[in-house]
Amino acid sequence: MPPSPSPSRFRALPFLLLLAGYFTASASVSAASKLRQVVGRGTDGPFFKPFNVTYDHRAVRIGGQRRMLVSAGVHYPRATPEMWPSIIAKCKEGGADVIETYIFWNGHEPARGKYYFEERFDLVRFVKLVAAEGLFLFLRIGPYACAEWNFGGFPVWLRDIPGIEFRTDNEPYKAEMQTFVTKIVDMMKDEKLYSWQGGPIILQQIENEYGNIQGKYGQAGKRYMQWAAQMALGLDTGIPWVMCRQTDAPEQILDTCNAFYCDGFKPNSNNKPTIWTEDWDGWYADWGGPLPHRPAEDSAFAVARFYQRGGSLQNYYMYFGGTNFARTAGGPLQITSYDYDAPVNEYGILRQPKWGHLKDLHAAIKLCEPALIAVDGSPQYVKLGSMQEAHVYSSGKVFRNGSMAGNAQICSAFLANIDEHKYVSVWIFGRSYNLPPWSVSILPDCENVAFNTARVGAQTSIFTFESGSPSHSSRLKPSILLPEVGWSYLSSTWWTSKETIGTWGGESFATQGILEHLNVTKDISDYLWYTTSINISDDDVAFWSSKGVSPVLTIDQIRDVARVFVNGKLAGSQVGHWVSLKQPVQLTKGLNELTLLSEIVGLQNYGAFLEKDGAGFRGQVKLTGFPNGDIDLTHSVWTYQVGLKGEFSMMYAPEKQGCAKWSGMQIDNIQSPFTWYKTMFDSPEGTEPVAIDLGSMGKGQAWVNGHLIGRYWSLVAPESGCPSSCNYPGAYTESKCQSNCGMPTQSWYHIPREWLHGSDNLLVLFEETGGDPSKISLEVHYTKTICSRISENYYPPLSAWSRLTGGHASLDTVAPELRLQCDDGHVISQIKFASYGTSSGGCQNFSIGKCHASSTLDLVSEACVGNNKCAISVSNDVFGDPCGGVVKDLAVEAECSSPSHTKEPRDEM
């Protein structure tokens, strides 16, 4: 580790700031601690002195006080309990007051009347951890969630209740829904987690985006919505209830907005505040598609506009997205990663510059909070140009052309330029302000700009997948399976076992006709086998031979994957959501066995009539191309087998390895479909998140030490559709600024550290289409390279505002700061580039310009190397003036590393 900076050197440089805790020095204070002191920091509570939550037309009132609230969306089952504290802390550090989460019905009631609240579904533990950080909680009970979660959160057993129809005026459904919602509410009350009990819960939601589909149910939908509202209110929770995207929500229920932009949203009553329950700061990805990306500048613009135009509570969907472990990913065809391009990535690492840019935005909004809550009606509106406007929040009348200097009244202003192309200078408060395109400037004192959404002062981070611990001992053995010497593969020792095609025993049964997939499997497995027999005559074979054709199997509709086997051999496959299948088949004289495999890749999670969507095959199943006409197999006798033999014998479980039949992998096992693979491996050293690269495999599922980490699939995104650079100004959609074209949608899969042992970890794969497990690698994931460039005319750090006295003190003497931060447990090990002057290029491509302070590298190295984070004043006072009369930047590229290891990177993203 490099030596610490010299104390004497820093006495000579008073403006060079080495701030070990500067990120926690913020102009804002967390909502909970500002309300009142936290009573207990443990996990038993009470966590706060009891307080009431109400609302008026302007804002949610916490303990009687209006608040401008920032909420961070975090879904507890998409991380492990061991990850929760760090994720919640990163939300708080980023400026959140509230954590928002859905409740996942199918996770908590996997069988009717049998409840589960353990491990990743330990809801009470999660809520108490939120409270222990001094944050509030917004509990979206639903219990329909959508959330790109399997079946939208509904348990599959629900659809088997006689006469049931979901989400409408249907007595069987309402009874089950009320029972579950009551269960959750009673649990929260019993644990004293509502605000009036000293807990963190300040808001809760009933239903979810029902207004999107209500019309499909006619008057029954309207009645159901009103029933759901009254049922929730009758539970006497003592805090407000929310219905998102419900324009006809009853007066006692808050209706809220879900969208990419909600600055134009108004609730359906003048008595309700403006709330944004889902700010989509990214988007989900489907297998075979590119990865969505929403730039930090546009996210910040949308949020600033929301508060500018009267918003009071905004929730990022998602702030941390996480992972769809096991078979929880929704459908159709949604990937295992739920990263969502969120400020905290799937592995719990800060995504920069998004996290840092939004943190600065939140601090600026908090500086404006006194003015925002003081204005009871609408803010003062000032037209500044054809596409430029200001909203002024003040305790008194503000004159457009008058200076605010010396004025003691509370005043904050937002200046917006919604032009997508032009920089514009506007005149207000007796001075000129330069507004970049598609941006908002925030003036907490109606004089000084604290933040502009288009000017990013946060660092850029480059994520790295890097080999962790020394190779597993098995890699030291020569192996013909490792064609590339020196590559960091997981293991050279693999075992295999072939999966039985079709019927393997267990609970198989035969019946006439094509049964619906979920009616048979009850979603205990992705897989359902259908097997029947066809007798082929000499005339059939002669006919095909004379015509030079083959018979064709046709199925009217399949979802999500169908595979066709003839006499145990794979004939072909079809992928899609209720698409047709036409597969030529090779049949021989005599009795032929036809086997169909139906595979689910996530149940439908959105839309009306979910209980009717189902899975498997629809319509007719026929064989065409016979001399005497088509053969209709729809009503034939079929034998059904749920799941895989290896799945139900638990070949993936460590405790079952003594019973499993494995053999050493041979060359011909590579690319072999319907094969189980296993190996043993050591964990990487250190504490960084672990990822496994399954890009050499086809499609299947992966288990580590018995934990199903999720489905994998190496479908490749189209070559086109990803711009070389992202031009963020203008309305965002999920297809704008996409990345990863021409690459597999997902290659890396998260293995939580707590699922690993130091050594002898068991990895088991079920591979459907064929892959090469010898090329699988295991890596640690962290931020390797961090960069920042800050101009000497950038804004002062937001923390400087909290040190001002008198409310309108000049900020002219406070220099901007360049801030750098490595991941938790990592330090800045090297400054690879540093220049104060007129450098050019960007991150990983900086170059020194004609103007350059030669002392920059030494000064920055002394300030930063060996520390997790550092901040440096950007001014001539620190570096001298290498070229007078020229605006100078400080540009820095640094490398982060763990004190425990310094390996060379495998791949950088």
Side-chain angles (χ1 to χ4, degrees):
M1 181 184 299
S4 300
S6 165
S8 61
R9 183 66 173 270
F10 277 92
R11 283 197 294 271
L13 294 169
F15 293 93
L16 189 60
L17 305 178
L18 176 58
L19 303 177
Y22 77 90
F23 275 100
T24 59
S26 169
S28 63
V29 181
S30 76
S33 59
K34 187 171 182 178
L35 170 72
R36 57 195 78 230
Q37 290 295 314
V38 176
V39 175
R41 301 296 291 183
T43 57
D44 295 326
F47 300 94
F48 310 104
K49 294 179 181 178
F51 61 96
N52 291 325
V53 180
T54 57
Y55 60 86
D56 60 20
H57 64 284
R58 181 65 187 98
V60 172
R61 288 181 173 268
I62 305 294
Q65 300 297 313
R66 287 177 178 168
R67 292 301 313 275
M68 296 291 109
L69 297 172
V70 174
S71 176
V74 177
H75 296 159
Y76 52 97
R78 284 176 160 142
T80 60
E82 291 80 2
M83 294 172 66
W84 292 343
S86 174
I87 292 165
I88 294 166
K90 288 179 171 71
C91 295
K92 180 179 180 179
E93 186 183 357
D97 310 289
V98 183
I99 299 293
E100 169 271 340
T101 191
Y102 277 123
I103 300 295
F104 296 91
W105 189 356
N106 52 12
H108 291 300
E109 195 177 0
R112 191 177 185 184
K114 305 294 184 182
Y115 297 102
Y116 183 79
F117 290 92
E118 299 174 22
E119 298 181 328
R120 290 184 297 112
F121 291 91
D122 191 343
L123 173 62
V124 168
R125 179 179 176 182
F126 179 78
V127 175
K128 289 183 176 181
L129 286 170
V130 169
E133 275 289 354
L135 297 177
F136 301 137
L137 188 80
F138 176 11
L139 195 63
R140 300 175 72 184
I141 300 176
Y144 165 71
C146 183
E148 291 73 60
W149 188 268
N150 194 50
F151 212 31
F154 285 130
V156 170
W157 57 259
L158 193 67
R159 70 196 294 274
D160 294 330
I161 294 175
I164 199 164
E165 291 182 80
F166 295 180
R167 305 177 76 193
T168 187
D169 187 17
N170 173 269
E171 293 304 323
Y173 174 74
K174 291 191 297 183
E176 295 296 332
M177 173 180 169
Q178 183 168 1
T179 297
F180 181 74
V181 172
T182 303
K183 171 77 174 178
I184 297 298
V185 168
D186 288 347
M187 179 180 289
M188 298 301 102
K189 286 182 181 179
D190 291 345
E191 296 288 342
K192 295 181 169 49
L193 295 175
Y194 282 107
S195 65
W196 48 272
Q197 299 173 300
I201 304 175
I202 63 168
L203 289 173
Q204 58 205 340
Q205 179 176 297
I206 193 70
E207 252 299 337
N208 184 49
E209 296 186 332
Y210 188 65
N212 292 7
I213 63 166
Q214 179 175 306
K216 294 185 180 296
Y217 295 98
Q219 287 302 308
K222 180 76 170 180
R223 292 194 303 272
Y224 163 72
M225 182 274 296
Q226 293 171 336
W227 168 86
Q230 293 307 313
M231 182 269 289
L233 292 169
L235 294 173
D236 193 27
T237 60
I239 63 170
W241 284 92
V242 163
M243 280 184 162
C244 62
R245 283 196 163 184
Q246 193 68 50
T247 57
D248 58 349
E251 181 66 26
Q252 307 96 313
I253 303 286
L254 299 176
D255 63 304
T256 63
C257 183
N258 293 357
F260 289 117
Y261 305 91
C262 282
D263 53 285
F265 170 77
K266 296 298 178 187
N268 64 6
S269 168
N270 292 330
N271 299 320
K272 301 177 183 180
T274 301
I275 295 176
W276 189 359
T277 33
E278 289 189 16
D279 170 5
W280 303 329
D281 55 351
W283 203 247
Y284 60 87
D286 296 331
W287 297 112
L291 299 180
H293 166 61
R294 189 175 188 185
E297 297 93 331
D298 187 64
S299 275
F301 172 78
V303 175
R305 286 287 284 166
F306 176 71
Y307 289 99
Q308 174 180 2
R309 300 182 66 188
S312 62
L313 185 155
Q314 169 265 345
N315 172 66
Y316 290 101
Y317 190 99
M318 300 294 298
Y319 198 83
F320 163 81
T323 307
N324 292 314
F325 294 116
R327 299 169 49 251
T328 58
L333 307 175
Q334 287 159 10
I335 68 173
T336 295
S337 170
Y338 200 66
D339 181 85
Y340 220 86
D341 196 44
V344 180
N345 80 359
E346 177 181 4
Y347 300 87
I349 299 172
L350 303 184
R351 171 172 275 110
Q352 299 279 25
K354 183 175 278 190
W355 182 87
H357 192 51
L358 295 175
K359 170 184 166 66
D360 288 346
L361 167 66
H362 304 153
I365 291 169
K366 293 300 179 183
L367 290 171
C368 300
E369 186 175 33
L372 290 171
I373 65 176
V375 174
D376 195 61
S378 299
Q380 185 176 338
Y381 176 81
V382 181
K383 186 73 173 175
L384 299 174
S386 61
M387 302 186 77
Q388 296 77 38
E389 60 187 16
H391 290 76
V392 182
Y393 291 83
S394 175
S395 56
K397 180 69 174 178
V398 175
F399 297 98
R400 171 177 177 173
N401 295 321
S403 171
M404 294 301 299
N407 193 330
Q409 68 187 22
I410 298 173
C411 187
S412 295
F414 296 76
L415 315 181
N417 177 17
I418 58 176
D419 192 296
E420 298 176 21
H421 308 288
K422 298 177 182 177
Y423 282 80
V424 179
S425 291
V426 298
W427 184 267
I428 191 173
F429 307 133
R431 60 190 293 185
S432 178
Y433 296 89
N434 188 39
L435 304 180
W438 202 252
S439 76
V440 176
S441 284
I442 299 177
L443 287 63
D445 59 358
C446 287
E447 182 176 356
N448 296 287
V449 177
F451 180 86
N452 178 272
T453 59
R455 298 188 68 187
V456 178
Q459 73 183 37
T460 295
S461 295
I462 310 297
F463 297 139
T464 298
F465 286 106
E466 181 175 281
S467 178
S469 63
S471 298
H472 186 280
S473 59
S474 66
R475 296 188 211 156
L476 302 179
K477 303 173 184 177
S479 173
I480 57 173
L481 299 177
L482 296 182
E484 299 180 51
V485 177
W487 198 257
S488 179
Y489 293 125
L490 178 68
S491 176
S492 63
T493 304
W494 287 86
W495 294 267
T496 68
S497 180
K498 291 296 291 182
E499 174 61 31
T500 302
I501 303 301
T503 305
W504 49 264
E507 301 297 323
S508 63
F509 65 94
T511 190
Q512 187 173 10
I514 296 293
L515 301 182
E516 194 273 329
H517 182 120
L518 285 179
N519 286 340
V520 180
T521 68
K522 309 303 181 186
D523 200 34
I524 63 172
S525 170
D526 279 352
Y527 306 98
L528 177 62
W529 301 93
Y530 300 66
T531 302
T532 194
S533 297
I534 304 102
N535 194 46
I536 300 301
S537 67
D538 288 334
D539 291 343
D540 295 329
V541 174
F543 176 77
W544 297 328
S545 177
S546 65
K547 298 291 185 180
V549 298
S550 297
V552 175
L553 175 73
T554 67
I555 305 176
D556 287 349
Q557 289 185 303
I558 67 98
R559 72 151 302 201
D560 299 319
V561 179
R563 304 198 190 280
V564 179
F565 299 82
V566 176
N567 298 321
K569 294 184 179 180
L570 182 64
S573 303
Q574 178 67 55
V575 176
H577 187 66
W578 298 127
V579 297
S580 63
L581 177 147
K582 293 183 179 180
Q583 177 62 52
V585 291
Q586 298 295 322
L587 301 174
T588 59
K589 179 186 174 183
L591 200 62
N592 290 257
E593 185 177 80
L594 174 66
T595 298
L596 308 178
L597 176 61
S598 169
E599 301 178 15
I600 289 175
V601 189
L603 294 179
Q604 186 78 20
N605 57 261
Y606 178 77
F609 312 112
L610 281 182
E611 74 280 3
K612 296 178 173 62
D613 185 66
F617 309 135
R618 285 179 178 171
Q620 289 187 315
V621 178
K622 295 191 298 183
L623 280 170
T624 65
F626 283 78
N628 297 320
D630 300 342
I631 299 177
D632 188 347
L633 301 174
T634 311
H635 303 291
S636 296
V637 173
W638 292 83
T639 299
Y640 290 84
Q641 179 73 66
V642 176
L644 310 169
K645 183 176 182 180
E647 183 181 20
F648 280 81
S649 64
M650 299 178 65
M651 290 184 70
Y652 53 81
E655 66 273 16
K656 296 290 186 178
Q657 293 310 296
C659 304
K661 295 181 180 179
W662 296 97
S663 57
M665 187 172 74
Q666 306 298 319
I667 285 290
D668 56 4
N669 295 136
I670 295 177
Q671 302 297 338
S672 175
F674 291 86
T675 301
W676 291 83
Y677 297 97
K678 83 164 183 176
T679 193
M680 306 297 291
F681 66 94
D682 293 340
S683 296
E685 296 175 356
T687 59
E688 298 94 342
V690 178
I692 188 168
D693 181 2
L694 298 176
S696 65
M697 304 304 291
K699 178 185 180 296
Q701 297 180 12
W703 290 261
V704 172
N705 293 328
H707 297 276
L708 178 54
I709 64 173
R711 303 180 182 100
Y712 67 83
W713 202 354
S714 297
L715 280 185
V716 175
E719 293 283 347
S720 60
C722 298
S724 57
S725 62
C726 176
N727 184 31
Y728 74 86
Y732 178 80
T733 67
E734 62 270 23
S735 60
K736 183 179 182 181
C737 298
Q738 295 178 134
S739 63
N740 210 51
C741 286
M743 302 289 289
T745 307
Q746 184 173 359
S747 294
W748 295 96
Y749 297 82
H750 182 202
I751 305 176
R753 276 276 181 183
E754 49 274 22
W755 291 358
L756 295 173
H757 316 305
S759 60
D760 295 325
N761 294 283
L762 173 66
L763 170 66
V764 175
L765 308 172
F766 171 64
E767 172 57 49
E768 299 173 21
T769 62
D772 187 350
S774 69
K775 293 183 179 178
I776 292 172
S777 63
L778 190 76
E779 316 289 350
V780 294
H781 183 47
Y782 73 104
T783 302
K784 177 79 169 180
T785 299
I786 55 177
C787 300
S788 185
R789 187 206 300 270
I790 300 294
S791 169
E792 64 176 332
N793 66 4
Y794 193 73
Y795 315 118
L798 284 152
S799 57
W801 286 78
S802 64
R803 301 193 293 266
L804 297 178
T805 57
H808 293 283
S810 173
L811 290 163
D812 293 342
T813 60
V814 182
E817 286 179 0
L818 181 144
R819 298 170 294 177
L820 297 173
Q821 180 179 16
C822 295
D823 298 341
D824 295 342
H826 286 234
V827 297
I828 298 169
S829 56
Q830 180 185 3
I831 303 299
K832 302 187 73 172
F833 178 91
S835 176
Y836 180 68
T838 57
S839 61
S840 60
C843 188
Q844 299 184 302
N845 192 33
F846 285 129
S847 60
I848 292 174
K850 293 181 179 179
C851 171
H852 167 67
S854 59
S855 62
T856 311
L857 183 62
D858 288 341
L859 294 176
V860 173
S861 295
E862 287 199 47
C864 298
V865 171
N867 297 289
N868 171 257
K869 60 183 76 170
C870 62
I872 304 166
S873 290
V874 182
S875 72
N876 294 337
D877 293 320
V878 174
F879 301 102
D881 190 351
C883 43
V886 175
V887 175
K888 292 164 284 294
D889 296 337
L890 174 60
V892 178
E893 178 182 333
E895 187 172 287
C896 296
S897 65
S898 169
S900 63
H901 65 85
T902 53
K903 301 287 184 181
E904 288 300 314
R906 260 272 328 269
D907 183 25
E908 295 186 346
M909 297 177 61

